[in-house]
Amino acid sequence: MAATGNGSLLSALREVVGPEAVLYDPDELAVYEYDGALDRARPDFVVFPQTAEQVAGVVRVCNRYGVPFVARGAGTGLSGGAIPVRGGVLVVLTRMNRIQQVDYPNRVAVVEPGVINVTVTEEVAPDGYYYAPDPSSQKACTIGGNVAENSGGPHCLAYGVTTNHVLALDIVLPDGNMLHVGGPAPDRPGYDLTGLLTGSEGTLAIFTRAWLRLMRQPEAVRTFLAIFDRLDDASETVSDVIAHGIVPAALEMMDKLTIEAVEPAVKAGYPPEAEAVLLIEVEGLRESVDVQSELVRQVCQFHRAREIREAETLEARERLWAGRKGALGALGRLAPNYCLQDGVVPRTKLPWILRRVAEHGRKYGFRIANVFHAGDGNLHPCILFDEREPGATERVLECAAAILKDCVDAGGTITGEHGVGVEKQNWMPWLFSEADLDAMARLKRCFNPKELLNPGKVFPTTKSCVELSGDVVERAEKLGIPLV
Amino acid sequence: MAVSADLRETLVGLVGPENVLTGPETLLYAVDGVAPKAVVFPETRDQVREIVRAARRERLGVLPFGGGTKVGFGNPPAAYDIAVVTRRLNRVVDYSPADLTVVVEAGLGFDRLTDLLRREGQFLPLDPVGPGRSTVGGIVAAGLGGLRRAFYGPPRDWVLGVAAVAGDGELIRGGGRTVKNVSGYDLCRLLAGSWGSLGIIVELCFKVFPLPPEDVLAVLGLPAPADLFGLGRDVWRQVPYPAAILGLDAESARTLTGRGPAGGALLVLFSGVRPDLESQLSQLRSVAGGRAEFFEVVRDDDLPGLWARLCDHPDLVGRDLPVWVRLSVPPAEIGAFAPNVAGRRFLADIAGGIINLYREPDDPAGMVDLRRRANAAGGSLALGRAPAALKAAFPAWDALPAPELMDRVKRALDPDGILSPGRLVR
């Protein structure tokens, strides 16, 4: 497609964000057709606004032309939340990446949506504070994406997920109006729109600024690696630690296949012959951390941990964590493709669900690595496959569905922190009745009545992604709207 | 009255005569002086659905009613025909201590839940007002943070799942039973703090926590009121993990703690293991330095009773005073409001940024000014109770932010506006 004259969508977008901040060359667009999940959909335009006003301007242009638009951060999302399944304009917010204010007396940081997660903590750490939610992709993912997906992370066990740490938002509504919701003062009257928007997967509004809660660094932190010869022993340890009245700051598990992938890549010091390792971190006041550490050791020993190692130095601690946070990247070494799922079960169902995951792997003929937030009951079964093998992709999705159905049957859910997106939307009826989904759809229409913002996500649809892409061009042609 | 007779007949048909009141007892459920035409006590969620459907057919105003501890909040109802009292919806549906989750019906009393959890060494740190009377549904519907809010967060942070009957009579559910869940929109947060205007909450799943090994409360008497908030903020900055930092006026301090220092009392709660508590107390002593005229430590068996009385502040601190003002500001700004509480009775959450101020309905101009200043500081002012005359002149809430959007949300779940009409939104 080539640019043609005034009055076109291209020139309208250029007018808002400047000519350098609009991409439309198919080669350049190709980079933006996928995020961290399997599905793909190519946008017709990519824009890089630098201010909230520009975001609103882009949204108004999209409204004028009746073109869908989707917000995107770093594109690390794991449910296809940032792919434009009906094409249109991709609003990439990575240039809005300033930490605007740090207010220690109120323990709040005010940041733009393109700020990378870890930079918030880096900014405030010298003063003794941190931002708690720490997704494994925290060195790349953006706060805007975190808020949209209500991201979790290993340290959400004790302190909760993103929604517990977002106090207020500046938003652009799908009609281009700008609004502020929430605030740093507690218990603001009115509906908790900040809470509703957080985790809405980019379907209700585009965030242009977020007020984040800062936490004070703990007085003491101790990190342990517990090594097990049996997977069951490790998973029983998890619920038993919690049953002993300890809520560790983090309680993570990796199985043998994960260790096999991680060790050569990261050299975190996980023993390759172990069936499972638990990474356990306790933090808080000095004495309570000592008391809890001793209890954790006892519980691990009771469940036949072969060895319990403690990170004695900051470097050792970081090395143990590097293994966990690098696990997904390392799994790419084991097979050409993987399908990562995000089911949750009540903690006490962990031993059962892990056995079921293994059974499904055998049944469908895939190796499945397990690396997950055990303390939360949040599984990340990672199904290894090769998409070049005929029928493999279809079987992987069947296998994933079988695992998630088991999670639901065990009283859990299909996604703990990655989002529903495009991959799991047709499984929503396992969890919600028609009335539930209808109420959510009505709420969506309050914000996004024309469904121009991030269409085709979260809720069940009969159309597949492939069928949907290309709609914009066809519709534009029919309506005689000049796209470029 | 003919309408009442028909209404009574309809409701009796739905829930049985033992679960409907239409006589003078309805006065017990009056809101801002308005008694409902009927009070109904459903025992199942299906009964709640039928009641709401019946009300919708006749366009009757419905208010959910728990323990009535926060009934003074909000603007007078625009229509109040039926009180739906949730207290007979009070089953414990599922308690799984090893999962740190509990599923209960909305009318369960907070005290009963607390007893249940305590037997397993767990708790739900919400500190509602009137802990002996409030229901879990009412606590979540109001969404107000308790005295340990700064440390543990408000109620909405503890709700994992919700079921409610929306204004169209449909049962809607959000969330689930696991500590992590991002499937679908977060209806839990939307319903928390909606004051019964979007749905009648019938069931809740809460995340719970292990009880701390021990709690201690330091009571510091101050010689002059000017320093109370300043010292509280210094403690928040300099002592690692206080679970609560409260300020009390002199008279309330005398009522509640037995000693009445001229400048009021600062109360600092710590939770944890003994050596940490001692170390925190000693840090607190050094921060307080010579600023406190006495420093007492309440612990063991003396503490739970005192804590429950503090949670009962509307009845104790606010005894005989008709107006409860709940001022909420960014925590660091709280010191600026010290002059507004001088000489009055109050309980302040200095860590969280909340002042519960009790007063006579005098000086409405002063109230307007206080609201303006709270708004300017990024905060808000709500009336927790007030005589009808004051409410008529002075709205119970600040002007809501994004009113059009809030209105659309209201209509999405309550299309005919029958749930708690006028209380929070129209």
Side-chain angles (χ1 to χ4, degrees), chain A residues 106 186 203 216 288 347 413 442, chain B residues 99 183 185 237 276 328 332 412:
Chain A
N106 286 308
T203 64
R216 186 184 275 203
S288 89
R347 292 174 189 95
T413 185
R442 289 197 305 269
Chain B
D99 288 319
S183 317
Y185 293 147
R237 273 196 303 277
D276 285 332
S328 145

Side-chain angles (χ1 to χ4, degrees), chain B residues 234-253:
Chain B
D234 288 348
V235 171
W236 175 244
R237 273 196 303 277
Q238 294 171 37
V239 182
Y241 285 117
I245 305 174
L246 310 176
L248 270 180
D249 66 283
E251 188 186 340
S252 301

Side-chain angles (χ1 to χ4, degrees), chain A residues 103-107 129 149-154 156-161 163-164 171 173 175 179-181 183-193 195-196 198-201 203-204 213 216-219 239 242-243 245-247 283-289 291 342 344-349 373 375-378 411-420 428 431-433 435-436 438-447 458-459, chain B residues 96-101 121-122 143-146 149-151 154-157 166 168 170-187 189-190 192-195 197-198 207-211 233 235-241 271-273 275-277 279-280 283 326 328-333 352-354 377-382 397-402 405-415 424-425:
Chain A
D103 171 2
Y104 290 126
N106 286 308
R107 297 191 187 171
Y129 292 86
E149 299 293 337
N150 192 12
S151 304
C156 293
L157 176 54
Y159 306 115
V161 291
T163 192
N164 296 15
I171 64 174
L173 286 168
D175 63 3
L179 214 57
H180 174 79
V181 298
D187 300 348
R188 198 177 170 85
Y191 301 137
D192 181 9
L193 299 181
L196 180 64
T198 304
S200 61
E201 304 194 23
T203 64
L204 299 182
R213 191 157 74 97
R216 186 184 275 203
Q217 285 166 359
E219 194 177 85
S239 32
I242 307 276
I246 302 169
V247 180
E283 62 178 49
L285 290 164
R286 204 157 281 119
E287 297 288 340
S288 89
V289 165
V291 170
D342 179 41
V344 190
V345 293
R347 292 174 189 95
T348 47
K349 298 288 190 344
H373 312 305
D376 291 321
N378 188 185
T413 185
I414 57 175
T415 173
E417 56 182 14
H418 294 172
V420 175
M428 288 284 274
L431 292 166
F432 295 112
S433 71
D436 302 336
D438 189 53
M440 291 183 197
R442 289 197 305 269
L443 288 170
K444 181 173 169 178
R445 285 198 289 275
C446 297
F447 291 80
V458 184
F459 299 104
Chain B
S96 177
D99 288 319
L100 295 179
T101 56
Q122 297 179 344
L144 301 174
R149 185 195 201 285
F151 192 74
R156 65 172 171 273
D157 283 352
D168 59 0
E170 292 289 340
L171 184 80
I172 56 170
R173 292 169 311 131
R177 293 188 180 188
T178 52
V179 287
K180 258 166 130 181
N181 187 355
V182 294
S183 317
Y185 293 147
D186 194 341
L187 298 185
R189 285 184 181 252
L190 185 62
S194 67
W195 292 94
S197 67
L198 297 176
K207 168 169 93 170
V208 299
F209 241 40
L211 272 167
R233 293 303 303 169
V235 171
W236 175 244
R237 273 196 303 277
Q238 294 171 37
V239 182
Y241 285 117
S271 302
V273 296
D276 285 332
L277 298 180
S279 119
Q280 298 220 87
Q283 290 180 64
R326 196 169 188 275
S328 145
V329 295
E333 315 302 326
I354 290 166
S380 59
L381 185 158
W397 311 108
D398 298 349
L400 294 189
L405 188 53
M406 298 254 179
D407 197 49
R408 286 205 293 274
V409 168
K410 160 79 174 168
R411 275 179 295 146
L413 296 188
D414 179 19
L424 175 69
V425 294

